[in-house]
Amino acid sequence: MKSYWKIGDLANLTGLTVRTLRFYDQIGLFSPSEHTESGHRLYNESDLSRLHQILSLKELGLSLEEIKSVLSGRQISPLEIVNLQINRIKEQIKLQQKLLEQLEHVSKLMQGKAQLTVEDFTSLLQAMKMSFEKLVIERQTIWERNLDLLGDFLAEETMPKPKEENQ
């Protein structure tokens, strides 16, 4: 197995862009362990583990600042992150399984030319709504956090800087 990766290799391996990896380095979230003599970033296996933690926490909806805080405080171990991902996926599977069961039930009724009841449709709609709402709420939370960060950034950029006094 390769022991070091350059930034382009890491980008190809992970599906992230070089720009994203540079940004993570710039904000102090994810920096390479080594540099070549010419200054190129070199990442090792422990860097890959940290990147997995970052991406896992990001997938769970944490902002980059929250992720940085979590990782610097060592509040969550890599095993805990993996377990959080497992639990999240299991929850998604349950919602999808319930929706699948409702769709199969309605399909069987339609194939048998049976009359669908209001309860059949409402059960199906509720399963669809639960699945959809969960996704919408997760995305909305992430967008709200990102908009808050953007607002904070823009507020800092537009604030007039104090003029230096001439002496």
Side-chain angles (χ1 to χ4, degrees):
M1 183 166 192
K2 193 173 186 178
S3 57
Y4 284 97
W5 295 267
K6 288 185 176 181
I7 195 165
D9 298 329
L10 186 63
N12 288 333
L13 182 67
T14 62
L16 296 172
T17 64
V18 169
R19 184 176 182 186
T20 297
L21 293 170
R22 286 185 181 141
F23 177 70
Y24 287 177
D25 188 12
Q26 181 183 359
I27 64 171
L29 178 63
F30 177 67
S31 299
S33 296
E34 304 283 333
H35 288 85
T36 64
E37 288 181 15
S38 58
H40 294 281
R41 295 168 174 90
L42 292 175
Y43 300 91
N44 63 22
E45 290 180 27
S46 66
D47 294 331
L48 288 178
S49 176
R50 181 173 173 91
L51 185 57
H52 174 260
Q53 292 174 329
I54 291 166
L55 297 176
S56 298
L57 291 169
K58 190 174 177 195
E59 184 180 311
L60 292 171
L62 274 67
S63 71
L64 294 179
E65 196 58 42
E66 290 169 327
I67 293 169
K68 191 175 178 181
S69 173
V70 165
L71 293 177
S72 67
R74 304 280 185 231
Q75 297 168 351
I76 299 179
S77 73
L79 176 61
E80 290 172 308
I81 292 170
V82 169
N83 286 333
L84 284 171
Q85 282 183 297
I86 289 169
N87 291 334
R88 184 170 183 255
I89 290 170
K90 283 181 178 179
E91 184 179 321
Q92 290 172 344
I93 289 171
K94 284 180 189 176
L95 288 172
Q96 293 300 312
Q97 186 64 39
K98 184 172 182 175
L99 177 57
L100 177 61
E101 289 169 4
Q102 292 296 325
L103 287 167
E104 287 174 339
H105 174 71
V106 169
S107 175
K108 285 179 185 176
L109 291 175
M110 291 176 151
Q111 288 172 9
K113 307 283 191 235
Q115 184 69 23
L116 295 174
T117 66
V118 172
E119 290 80 20
D120 294 327
F121 277 117
T122 56
S123 295
L124 177 59
L125 291 172
Q126 286 174 349
M128 291 170 62
K129 181 180 174 190
M130 282 180 24
S131 181
F132 181 73
E133 280 181 348
K134 178 78 173 156
L135 178 65
V136 168
I137 288 169
E138 286 177 1
R139 293 239 167 105
Q140 180 181 4
T141 302
I142 291 168
W143 274 104
E144 286 173 355
R145 285 183 182 156
N146 290 337
L147 288 173
D148 287 344
L149 289 173
L150 179 60
D152 293 344
F153 174 77
L154 291 175
E156 289 175 11
E157 290 291 313
T158 58
M159 289 181 66
K161 296 184 180 177
K163 294 182 182 178
E164 294 183 26
E165 295 180 26
N166 293 331
Q167 292 184 6

